[in-house]
Amino acid sequence: MNPVPRLFDNREFVIVFWVSVGLAAAVLWPGTRRALVRVVAAVATPKISVPLVLMVAYVAAVVFGLYAALLWDWSLFSETLFWFVGTALVLFARYDHVVEDPHFFRHTMLGALSLTVIVEFLTNLSSFSLPVEFLLVPLLVLLGATLAVSATREEFAPARGCLTRVVAVAGLGLLLYSLTRVLENIGDVATTDMLRELVTPALLTLCLLPFIYLLGVYGSYDGLLSRLKWLASDDRVVCRYARRRVLRSAGLRLRTVVRFVNAPWLVMAGRPPTRADVDHVIEHVKSRTTNALAMSRASRERIEQLKREQPPGWEYMLFAMRLEASLPAIGHHEATAREGTRRFERPFDGRRAMQHVQRDNQEAVQLVEDLDRIFEESEVLLAFGAPGEPGDAERILGLAERLILLHGRMLCWSSRARSSRTCDQYADLVQLHASLLDKPNQQVADYIDRWVALGDELPQLIEGSLTGEDKVALDMSLVISVDNDLLSRLNAEAERLRGKAA
């Protein structure tokens, strides 16, 4: 009598056995037991346990539907179980990638249908005897774990190369053994059942994606509604109004929900907010205006009033007022950029670090050149008008907003550059590279601050010029320069690393 359950082949049985042994050891060892209890307690919280239970029920319903359609039977139990642990739970834990990656579903399906999946399927078609599998499985796991650790530090590169070759040889050996066994028994393998074993994981993944989408919507709404509750904590009527308006405006459209999540609510709405503030934010989101250009309702009303009244010198006051209205949004934009770059990414190796610096330096140069072109003489003349002629309000606002947008892009560039990690050898290069736009950023910030300060004085200055007391000379030029000493050090470090690599 075969002691191995029919639902598992030898390799699958051994994997289940060793996982059970690992869990038992974790429960018996006091240190890991305490950590395991904390993990279980975290999973048991309603925000995790309820969606998890719903996913289990959803998968069960999908499997039952496939069973009713004669596309699933109990011979596929092991494939379904390993798919649930290795794919479904991973997608559940990474549901936030639905929000961050606009091509998440395409990437997931391409991964499920990739050549790697077919190779893995062929490799696992035939297994060794139980004693061999009991030794082979932990050995392969140990090799994989060692290879993963070796990839974390540059000094492990020699060992990583050796381990990569060992893992490649082991994988090729398993594939050749499996293919040999398949060719020997091609009649038993090339069946409809084998095709179903190959297709089942991809089919289950495809059926799970709608649930993961809804989970992404739920997670986004959860954070957004908590923020609205905090923002309007002093007025439950406004809180309910905001919740109702957002739900009606976004529905189940994930990208729209994400735009509401990322909207600068604190910038655009007062505290406590009013219904008009809520409508102002919703109008901003629906118009798909970038958050860097967001402003409060009061600022927008002051700008519209100035455009209507057009007192003497209103062109310069309008420019200053638009820059002043941007300050809270710029602060929010910079904070969001810093938060968005705090991810646990694999550090750049030497080659990728050099490519990253070269590509980003080209982008930084382009940003500085774009800044220089904003206040070209012809553009300023069209916006502010020739002496004695009125200006164009929309062009003036356009100049100010172009400056705001470029300043926001520069701040995002700096945040992204500072979040980059690499091996110790290239750390100085990346650090110098991250400081490249510090001086231009400060020059733009000083320019905006100067105009904001000037905006309070402009009415008196213009009134004085009209009475003949003083003449007002306003300089629109923006001087941008890069720290030459920093640039020299950056180039010297790059040359040193190139010479060392050669």
Side-chain angles (χ1 to χ4, degrees):
M1 182 178 177
N2 189 357
V4 181
R6 296 184 194 178
L7 297 177
F8 300 102
D9 62 22
N10 288 351
R11 185 166 300 157
E12 292 168 344
F13 175 75
V14 169
I15 291 174
V16 172
F17 173 81
W18 281 116
V19 170
S20 302
V21 169
L23 289 175
V27 171
L28 294 175
W29 192 263
T32 55
R33 183 170 63 244
R34 287 191 293 270
L36 193 61
V37 169
R38 288 195 293 269
V39 170
V40 172
V43 173
T45 58
K47 286 191 176 183
I48 297 178
S49 61
V50 172
L52 183 59
V53 170
L54 289 175
M55 188 182 76
V56 172
Y58 179 85
V59 170
V62 168
V63 171
F64 180 78
L66 295 177
Y67 177 79
L70 303 181
L71 297 175
W72 191 92
D73 57 40
W74 285 102
S75 65
L76 299 171
F77 176 80
S78 62
E79 283 75 16
T80 304
L81 177 63
F82 280 91
W83 167 84
F84 183 82
V85 175
T87 300
L89 290 180
V90 170
L91 289 175
F92 178 85
R94 300 174 61 192
Y95 78 90
D96 56 322
H97 284 59
V98 178
V99 177
E100 298 169 0
D101 183 2
H103 306 295
F104 172 81
F105 298 106
R106 183 195 306 172
H107 294 160
T108 301
M109 283 312 304
L110 287 176
L113 300 173
S114 65
L115 181 62
T116 304
V117 174
I118 298 175
V119 171
E120 290 177 357
F121 173 77
L122 294 175
T123 302
N124 292 317
L125 271 179
S126 298
S127 57
F128 296 98
S129 62
L130 272 176
V132 175
E133 292 290 348
F134 267 111
L135 294 175
L136 183 64
V137 169
L139 179 62
L140 291 177
V141 171
L142 181 62
L143 279 174
T146 307
L147 180 61
V149 171
S150 68
T152 60
R153 300 292 295 273
E154 189 67 20
E155 54 264 32
F156 297 153
R160 183 167 66 249
C162 179
L163 286 170
T164 301
R165 289 190 288 271
V166 170
V167 171
V169 169
L172 183 60
L174 289 174
L175 178 61
L176 291 176
Y177 171 79
S178 183
L179 287 176
T180 302
R181 294 292 301 273
V182 167
L183 293 175
E184 291 176 353
N185 305 278
I186 189 66
D188 297 332
V189 173
T191 63
T192 305
D193 290 341
M194 289 297 104
L195 180 62
R196 286 199 301 167
E197 287 186 18
L198 173 61
V199 174
T200 294
L203 183 59
L204 290 171
T205 300
L206 177 63
C207 293
L208 183 64
L209 290 182
F211 181 87
I212 299 300
Y213 175 88
L214 293 176
L215 189 62
V217 173
Y218 163 77
S220 300
Y221 266 128
D222 182 61
L224 174 60
L225 296 181
S226 298
R227 185 185 305 177
L228 292 178
K229 185 177 180 181
W230 171 80
L231 188 65
S233 58
D234 298 330
D235 193 333
R236 293 184 179 180
V237 175
V238 172
C239 181
R240 288 195 295 269
Y241 176 77
R243 183 169 61 241
R244 187 168 60 251
R245 285 296 315 273
V246 168
L247 290 172
R248 287 179 179 176
S249 300
L252 296 179
R253 297 187 298 276
L254 178 61
R255 296 301 156 206
T256 306
V257 179
V258 172
R259 287 200 297 272
F260 275 109
V261 171
N262 295 331
W265 288 85
L266 286 175
V267 172
M268 304 185 70
R271 182 133 196 250
T274 63
R275 292 192 177 200
D277 289 332
V278 174
D279 294 337
H280 177 54
V281 177
I282 290 176
E283 179 186 346
H284 167 82
V285 173
K286 284 185 174 181
S287 66
R288 302 199 177 194
T289 304
T290 178
N291 290 335
L293 297 180
M295 66 177 111
S296 67
R297 189 166 56 91
S299 295
R300 187 177 67 173
E301 291 173 352
R302 286 197 300 270
I303 288 174
E304 293 299 324
Q305 181 181 0
L306 184 60
K307 287 167 61 178
R308 288 193 305 269
E309 296 177 355
Q310 295 190 357
W314 66 270
E315 296 93 345
Y316 299 98
M317 288 188 281
L318 180 63
F319 183 74
M321 189 177 293
R322 184 61 187 94
L323 291 180
E324 182 180 11
S326 74
L327 292 179
I330 288 175
H332 176 273
H333 196 61
E334 184 178 12
T336 303
R338 284 198 305 268
E339 192 65 28
T341 52
R342 291 174 185 169
R343 296 176 185 170
F344 297 96
E345 297 176 348
R346 180 179 174 181
F348 293 125
D349 57 24
R351 180 179 60 83
R352 289 182 64 229
M354 190 67 76
Q355 292 175 346
H356 170 76
V357 168
Q358 290 174 343
R359 183 183 67 249
D360 271 20
N361 282 356
Q362 294 174 356
E363 184 181 351
V365 170
Q366 185 63 50
L367 287 172
V368 172
E369 290 177 352
D370 290 344
L371 272 175
D372 286 337
R373 285 194 291 267
I374 288 180
F375 296 105
E376 291 180 348
E377 186 176 352
S378 59
E379 293 290 334
V380 174
L381 185 62
L382 286 172
F384 289 86
E389 296 181 1
D392 186 324
E394 297 306 321
R395 287 183 179 273
I396 294 171
L397 293 175
L399 281 179
E401 290 175 355
R402 283 173 59 191
L403 177 61
I404 295 165
L405 287 175
L406 275 172
H407 189 33
R409 286 175 58 193
M410 291 168 65
L411 292 173
C412 288
W413 185 97
S414 297
S415 297
R416 186 180 69 244
R418 281 193 162 78
S419 70
S420 302
R421 296 183 297 131
T422 185
C423 53
D424 295 340
Q425 182 181 356
Y426 286 80
D428 290 341
L429 176 69
V430 172
Q431 184 178 3
L432 289 169
H433 155 73
S435 303
L436 191 60
L437 285 187
D438 283 356
K439 187 174 181 180
N441 271 328
Q442 188 59 51
Q443 289 169 334
V444 176
D446 291 343
Y447 181 86
I448 293 175
D449 290 341
R450 176 165 62 86
W451 270 96
V452 170
L454 187 61
D456 297 331
E457 304 172 4
L458 274 175
Q460 291 80 12
L461 292 175
I462 293 171
E463 183 179 354
S465 68
L466 292 175
T467 58
E469 297 177 6
D470 296 300
K471 290 186 178 181
V472 180
L474 298 176
D475 183 13
M476 299 294 302
S477 61
L478 171 61
V479 179
I480 297 296
S481 60
V482 179
D483 189 331
N484 291 326
D485 178 60
L486 175 67
L487 195 57
S488 299
R489 289 160 55 200
L490 177 64
N491 292 332
E493 181 67 13
E495 287 299 324
R496 184 185 73 81
L497 291 171
R498 288 194 191 98
K500 190 173 182 179

